[in-house]
Amino acid sequence: MGILAFLILGLIAGALAKALLPGRQGGGWLITLVLGVVGAILGGWIGSLIFGGGLGNFFDLRTWLLSILGAVIVLLIYGAVTGRKSKA
């Protein structure tokens, strides 16, 4: 999978992860792209540990599911690290 396909995959996976998680997450499209690409890398690594194969082809369902799962994990970590403080 080429770098452009990986960036597109990361952007879509990050956007889907933001849509799946409840609440409001900060960050614009650039943060979504970065978190999605990092999530895709994490998802590929998790997939290689559990299933014996990481990210495959761009149109492979396993690639998309692993990337979205990784993006959700990264987005949860990002939200925990940059948690909003209440104004009291």
Side-chain angles (χ1 to χ4, degrees), residues 1 13-14 17 23 29 34-35 41 52 58 65 67-68 70 75 82 86:
M1 185 164 40
W29 67 270
V34 171
L35 292 177
I41 293 170
F58 183 76
L65 292 177
S67 297
I68 294 169
L75 194 58
T82 63
S86 63

Side-chain angles (χ1 to χ4, degrees), residues 5 7-9 19 27 35 37-38 42 44 46 49 54 61 64 69-70 72 74 76 80 83 85 88:
L7 290 176
I8 292 170
L9 174 70
L35 292 177
V37 171
V38 171
L42 178 67
I46 290 171
L49 289 177
L61 181 62
W64 284 92
L69 174 69
V72 166
V74 169
L76 287 172
K85 298 186 188 287

